[in-house]
Amino acid sequence: MPDARAGAGAGAGSGAGGGAGAGASRGAGAGDPRRDGTGAFESESESPLAQAAQWLERITGDPLADAVRGRVRVVAVSAPTGRRRYQECTVELAVTADGAPPHTLTQVVVLPRSAWPKVGDVLVAAVSPSRPDALEVDWSPLARR
């Protein structure tokens, strides 16, 4: 694995130039947002860890390996039932992202009642242009309201 560290270090040490090669292979620029290990977004040129994560995603066949930053708007949402703190929530989402056609997708997620989405909520998501059904939504902003 020394080669992966050397390649990641070279990309970080040379700034955007090192990240541009990795981004160019995806057909995107070096400044394109990416997910890091926590689900947050960061630029490929910012961190060797992000570059290593991208490499691992590609070789393991991760459906979100080519993910770009997008947005989802809640179109429909199921109502919580009972008083349980965490429950399954069925949401219909309108998905938009650069390089991916706009589409709607239904997901079932487990959320706390205090962070239940509302119709019209707009959230950041990682969207795969090559697999429209591959989506990772950042639900954390709902917990802060």
Side-chain angles (χ1 to χ4, degrees):
M1 188 97 172
D3 294 294
R5 282 193 302 253
S14 61
S25 68
R26 271 194 357 255
D32 284 353
R34 294 288 305 163
R35 295 174 299 110
D36 67 11
T38 64
F41 291 94
E42 75 176 71
S43 172
E44 288 176 22
S45 62
E46 288 179 19
S47 154
L49 179 60
Q51 291 176 353
Q54 177 188 5
W55 176 76
L56 268 171
E57 289 172 343
R58 279 196 214 130
I59 64 168
T60 60
D62 184 346
L64 289 171
D66 67 340
V68 296
R69 188 176 183 147
R71 298 213 177 269
V72 296
R73 184 175 44 82
V74 177
V75 177
V77 62
S78 64
T81 57
R83 296 186 52 141
R84 293 184 322 269
R85 180 174 179 188
Y86 289 93
Q87 299 184 27
E88 283 189 354
C89 175
T90 303
V91 289
E92 185 177 345
L93 305 166
V95 182
T96 56
D98 289 341
H103 62 285
T104 34
L105 184 66
T106 301
Q107 279 195 334
V108 177
V109 293
V110 176
L111 296 170
R113 280 181 58 105
S114 61
W116 211 257
K118 297 180 176 111
V119 172
D121 283 345
V122 176
L123 300 161
V124 174
V127 181
S128 170
S130 64
R131 292 193 51 187
D133 61 325
L135 176 73
E136 186 174 292
V137 178
D138 179 9
W139 298 100
S140 62
L142 299 179
R144 290 178 274 210
R145 53 177 173 181

